[in-house]
Amino acid sequence: MELLKQKIREQGVVLSAQVLKVDAFLNHQVDPVLMQQVGVEFARRFAGQGIDKVLTIEASGIAPALMTALALGVPMLFARKQQSLTLGGELLTARVYSFTKQVESTIAVAASHLAAGERVLIVDDFLAHGQAARGLATIVEQAGARVAGIGIVIEKSFQPGRGELARLGYRVESLARIASLDGGAVRFLD
Ligand code: G4P
């Protein structure tokens, strides 16, 4: 997706060979025009898949997931990482290890918001090791719902996430695929 690549080139900051900072437009300050295009593009790629709901994880997945849900005309649901006073009743949970932050957390969704048989599109901002997407997929499957696909805004293709998700049989669509961050430069795969 050209606008996304342009933003990454112009405003992304390579912090190391592993980490790209995109705080200027994706996961701190958020560019609404870019997010709208992201939503339209995911909706186009997953058109005809009978998506009933878009699922993401707080915080940075919410903006692209919401715009995707808007474009598809379906609800957006986000898994919580923190206990919430209002998150009651039966919960669907998964343990997610963050390699970037080196902490494990439990993510949770109220079971009442995911129904058996629903077709769910998972959307997230980054794909690195694939832990977040795997945790979300586990939650979908606990509900008896189906993962219709996984939409990723920025995939770090040099990390193992895509391979893991593909091995598990999920369709992954990424809007920008980064081949390497070596030498402080972003090199795209395609
Ligand atoms: P995984 O989810 O694919 O397994 O990735 P990993 O454990 O490595 O990443 C955990 C967190 O770090 C995620 O955010 C993910 O979005 C973020 N992250 C991974 N690689 C990068 C990167 O190169 N740049 C930036 N900016 N973030 C990266 P999170 O813990 O869910 O945080 P948030 O959604 O609250 O922001």
Side-chain angles (χ1 to χ4, degrees):
M1 201 186 126
E2 209 33 59
L3 178 62
L4 174 62
K5 286 186 181 173
Q6 187 189 327
K7 286 274 176 187
I8 293 170
R9 277 190 212 101
E10 290 173 0
Q11 297 179 17
V13 179
V14 178
L15 291 185
S16 69
Q18 307 291 317
V19 179
L20 173 69
K21 181 171 168 166
V22 288
D23 282 28
F25 58 92
L26 181 58
N27 54 20
H28 192 31
Q29 176 168 262
V30 179
D31 183 327
V33 172
L34 176 66
M35 284 309 115
Q36 189 177 37
Q37 288 197 20
V38 162
V40 167
E41 180 60 16
F42 280 139
R44 187 185 70 76
R45 293 192 190 198
F46 289 99
Q49 293 293 312
I51 309 291
D52 296 301
K53 194 161 285 181
V54 177
L55 176 66
T56 189
I57 180 169
E58 64 178 347
S60 307
I62 292 176
L66 181 63
M67 298 314 284
T68 305
L70 182 67
L72 286 166
V74 300
M76 183 276 287
L77 175 67
F78 65 90
R80 292 189 185 270
K81 292 179 195 154
Q82 306 285 340
Q83 285 292 340
S84 157
L85 277 179
T86 56
L87 192 61
E90 191 195 338
L91 296 181
L92 305 170
T93 63
R95 299 288 290 165
V96 171
Y97 179 74
S98 166
F99 286 91
T100 307
K101 296 179 179 168
Q102 300 195 339
V103 288
E104 193 176 47
S105 57
T106 300
I107 63 169
V109 161
S112 55
H113 293 309
L114 271 182
E118 278 188 321
R119 291 180 61 80
V120 178
L121 173 61
I122 292 171
V123 167
D124 208 359
D125 59 335
F126 267 97
L127 176 59
H129 295 85
Q131 292 290 304
R134 281 184 72 169
L136 291 170
T138 303
I139 283 178
V140 171
E141 282 152 13
Q142 278 171 49
R146 179 114 188 261
V147 177
I150 299 175
I152 298 294
V153 181
I154 302 176
E155 171 188 312
K156 292 189 291 184
S157 308
F158 56 88
Q159 290 182 325
R162 171 180 275 266
E164 284 287 307
L165 297 176
R167 191 177 55 76
L168 294 168
Y170 299 117
R171 173 184 167 195
V172 180
E173 290 284 340
S174 304
L175 303 186
R177 304 183 70 194
I178 295 178
S180 95
L181 296 171
D182 293 342
V186 180
R187 201 160 56 77
F188 292 103
L189 203 62
D190 40 38

